[in-house]
Amino acid sequence: MRTLALFFLLTLSLTVAARAVETPEWFAPTSAWQFNSGLEFPGATGSFAIVSEAGRAAGRLDYDFTAGGRYVGALLSREIDPAFAELRLRMKATTPCKLIVRLIDSHGEVFQYARPCPGTTGWTDYRIDLSQSTITYADGKNGVADKIIDFPLRGLLLGVEVRKDSQSKGEALFSNIELVQ
Amino acid sequence: MFTLLPRHFFSLLILLSLAPVGASSLRADSPESPPLNYRFGVATHFCHKTPWMKTWDAEKYIPMIADLGVGWIRDEITWQDTELQRGQYRVSDNTRKWIGLARAHGLKVIVCFNNTNPNYPDRWDPDAYAKAAAWLAVELDGKIDAIEILNEPFGGYAVANNDGRPHDWTGRDSDGSASPWLARYLKLLNTSADAIKAANPRMTVIGLGSCTPQNYRLLDMGVSRNVDAITDHPYSFRSPPELVPHPDNETYSKRVGFSVADADGTFASYVRMCLDYSKQHHGPGQLWITESGYTTYREGRAGKEPLYSGFSEQAQASYIPRRLLEGLALGLPVDIVYDFLDDSGRAGVGKPGDPFDPEQNFGIVREGGIPKPAYFAVQNLARATVGFTPGNDISFKVFPFSDRTENKPRDWDGMKILPALARIMAYPFTDAQGRPVLAVWSAERINDLSVRSADIEFAVDPDRFTVTVLDLLTGVSFSPAVKTSGGRIMLEHFAVPGHPVLITLHPASHPSS
């Protein structure tokens, strides 16, 4: 088990050693993404699955806000190290929405970033620059909120946010995650 | 060499547009004139087949067209004018005049061989039409470049050839079968193409020219190998130019039975799918757009809502270059804007000179030779993209910050009108000097919002390139702020307007490494 962990860490280190390296293993079939229905705003339903999109691994987030809710997402709870300056990914959604990215740092602080996503069949590239200020909050009562990202990260959430009473229903695809040092 | 964007650009544009241009401009075939762009053209009405076309003065406007920088015009020769009496053919003096002027100015010519001939019991007799078309192909050899077999046969031709049955844009009757006029047109097309090629193998023959689903049904039936290109008129009607009104959805599928574009109804998917479909059915290998454009009529006429929105002149100046540039990126050989001059004499629908008539206000030049802003935008585009080829080997990424989604699309034939794609469009090219170019614009509806921003990154060594930007609406060039980071070029918060700009990477003369 320890050997496996070392190998895993080494692999991850290698993937971020260059300036920008795609990390497709995040959408490997065995990736432990967990669907999050955004319970603070009840009513949303959905699911998350790993799929192949044009020969490339991707995460598909199905969402249904017809009974309420504001966001849904998929959480990958995993250590992400070493530090990086920028996270990149591609997304497309079948209805207009917002991409939300949450980074959970080693002290339990959550950094949330939002970007608009047009509801079209084409991919949009996103660049989350960690030096830009954003909303942060403590994840649970033991978390801190000092607005400093402390690596290694504990996890990453990719999600879809909609405006209140949007009633929208559709699917979003995420792919090509890159970490840029 | 480079100047900053004038603060009051549109004021300047309005002033410019008040001045007639063209008659005194240099001839396009003179050594001093910039080369013409043979990927783009304009539709014209120099044929004067009806009285309202008399405002189209070839001597006045052909020099203006050459000065516009496009390489093609598309006009008409009518069958009746060619064969006034059965079996006796001629080319009229007026036709020889405008064709001669066009050639003298370096313009290539598409002749739409059009309309009926009452000398025959079947006014569209395919054998007689084909014979006349073949004669024309020989008579005008070296003077014209392509013959198009009828204009929009889904109109008058379909009405007269559908056994009195109603027909619509889907090309199928109520029982699901293909409308009868399609087979008749196909016979006319194939017979004509075979006759033209037999008489003059050098003459390019183009046709189909109907609504896209109707064109697909014609391809199903078997188009002659002598037809060189499919023609289509993919107006976006009320949507921005990256769209055609054929989204692949349940409603469309029920009405048509197959798809001709993706779920968004993108122009790009429409082009690719049409060419794929043609290939699968051994049809023509090219698609020529022989009409598309944006009318600047004003709302206010009572009656049925027109098919087209009335677009502002600013929108027209943005949308036409967007459509042309995307077509260039998709490899379209010829793309014709409808049309060059407002058809102010046209009395078919509204009153002559009616600002409320959609059909009279498609021009990029107003009556009297006053250019609309679109004239200058097309001129900038045509001149800047001479020799462009799609693609280059430079990796790039565009990261938008904002969205321009339309949240209240209007109705369109039982469906919501297609909203603007809202994406930032980015197409790579290689220019005539071999330099990589990226064309970008925001696929938004022209509105009152300020310009969008995006980070644009090129995966190239910053020491080896300098960057310039050409705004195709203003014609202004400038050097953008460039950030070099991690061995790449980044244009941070780059202004991406609703009209195309060209970002060119120039190899540095003296790379520092």
Side-chain angles (χ1 to χ4, degrees), chain B residues 146-372:
Chain B
I147 294 178
E148 184 173 6
I149 307 303
L150 297 188
N151 174 56
E152 298 184 346
F154 61 82
Y157 183 89
V159 170
N161 288 280
N162 211 46
D163 300 334
R165 290 145 69 175
H167 70 95
D168 68 16
W169 59 271
T170 66
R172 69 176 178 179
D173 280 4
S174 52
D175 65 358
S177 62
S179 298
W181 72 266
L182 289 167
R184 289 178 186 143
Y185 172 72
L186 186 71
K187 184 177 181 193
L188 178 75
L189 173 68
N190 287 348
T191 306
S192 302
D194 295 348
I196 290 168
K197 290 290 188 184
N200 181 358
R202 292 179 301 279
M203 185 61 69
T204 298
V205 182
I206 59 178
L208 281 75
S210 292
C211 301
T212 308
Q214 296 167 343
N215 284 349
Y216 273 50
R217 294 186 201 284
L218 290 166
L219 290 167
D220 284 342
M221 296 175 191
V223 172
S224 167
R225 305 289 275 190
N226 285 321
V227 177
D228 297 296
I230 299 165
T231 57
D232 201 349
H233 297 172
Y235 289 90
S236 62
F237 295 98
R238 300 176 195 172
S239 295
E242 294 76 22
L243 300 165
V244 289
H246 300 284
D248 180 19
N249 58 32
E250 199 176 337
T251 307
Y252 193 90
S253 192
K254 276 182 188 165
R255 294 196 66 172
V256 177
F258 51 84
S259 57
V260 301
D262 63 15
D264 294 330
T266 61
F267 178 69
S269 69
Y270 145 82
V271 170
R272 292 187 183 113
M273 289 171 71
C274 180
L275 290 171
D276 284 349
Y277 196 83
S278 188
K279 190 175 181 182
Q280 288 163 19
H281 292 77
H282 311 291
Q286 295 186 357
L287 171 63
W288 288 25
I289 306 300
T290 51
E291 278 187 26
S292 77
Y294 296 89
T295 170
T296 59
Y297 81 94
R298 289 166 49 211
E299 296 172 351
R301 202 175 65 189
K304 193 178 172 187
E305 186 182 10
L307 279 175
Y308 307 93
S309 290
F311 293 93
S312 69
E313 290 191 354
Q314 186 187 353
Q316 186 196 42
S318 298
Y319 290 172
I320 291 174
R322 277 160 59 169
R323 171 57 75 84
L324 291 177
L325 196 49
E326 186 163 34
L328 187 65
L330 297 167
L332 293 179
V334 179
D335 205 337
I336 304 290
V337 174
Y338 191 87
D339 56 356
F340 178 72
L341 177 69
D342 276 348
D343 295 322
S344 297
R346 188 170 191 154
V349 183
K351 295 174 290 187
D354 187 348
F356 305 104
D357 179 6
E359 291 292 337
Q360 294 193 37
N361 293 280
F362 273 97
I364 59 173
V365 172
R366 296 184 208 114
E367 189 180 5
I370 310 296
K372 298 179 188 178

Side-chain angles (χ1 to χ4, degrees), chain A residues 19-20 86 88-90 94 96-97 114-127 129 132 163 176 178, chain B residues 262-264 266 396-403 405 407 420-423 455 457 483 485-488 490 492:
Chain A
R19 184 183 175 280
E86 201 176 299
R88 295 179 174 191
L89 75 156
R90 309 188 89 183
T94 52
C97 60
R115 297 283 186 274
C117 180
T120 65
T121 54
W123 291 99
T124 299
D125 284 302
Y126 294 94
R127 176 184 179 223
D129 181 350
Q132 302 288 316
R163 58 187 166 77
N176 292 49
E178 294 177 353
Chain B
D262 63 15
D264 294 330
T266 61
F396 68 89
K397 280 193 173 179
V398 177
F399 304 99
F401 293 99
S402 59
D403 183 22
T405 296
N407 55 13
L421 281 184
R423 296 203 302 257
D455 291 340
E457 182 186 74
K483 182 179 175 185
S485 139
R488 295 178 180 213
M490 176 70 86
E492 281 193 331

Side-chain angles (χ1 to χ4, degrees), chain B residues 378-457:
Chain B
V378 172
Q379 186 179 57
N380 291 335
L381 170 73
R383 289 181 176 175
T385 59
V386 171
F388 270 35
T389 52
N392 61 49
D393 57 3
I394 305 292
S395 295
F396 68 89
K397 280 193 173 179
V398 177
F399 304 99
F401 293 99
S402 59
D403 183 22
R404 293 287 160 93
T405 296
E406 291 183 84
N407 55 13
K408 289 183 180 172
R410 288 183 285 179
D411 286 335
W412 171 264
D413 201 19
M415 297 180 282
K416 287 291 179 192
I417 189 172
L418 296 178
L421 281 184
R423 296 203 302 257
I424 289 178
M425 310 300 287
Y427 282 107
F429 291 95
T430 301
D431 73 8
Q433 288 75 46
R435 297 172 301 204
V437 179
L438 185 67
V440 295
W441 67 93
S442 172
E444 66 186 87
R445 193 176 284 279
I446 295 303
N447 54 52
D448 58 0
L449 300 176
S450 63
V451 66
R452 292 173 80 177
S453 298
D455 291 340
I456 301 180
E457 182 186 74

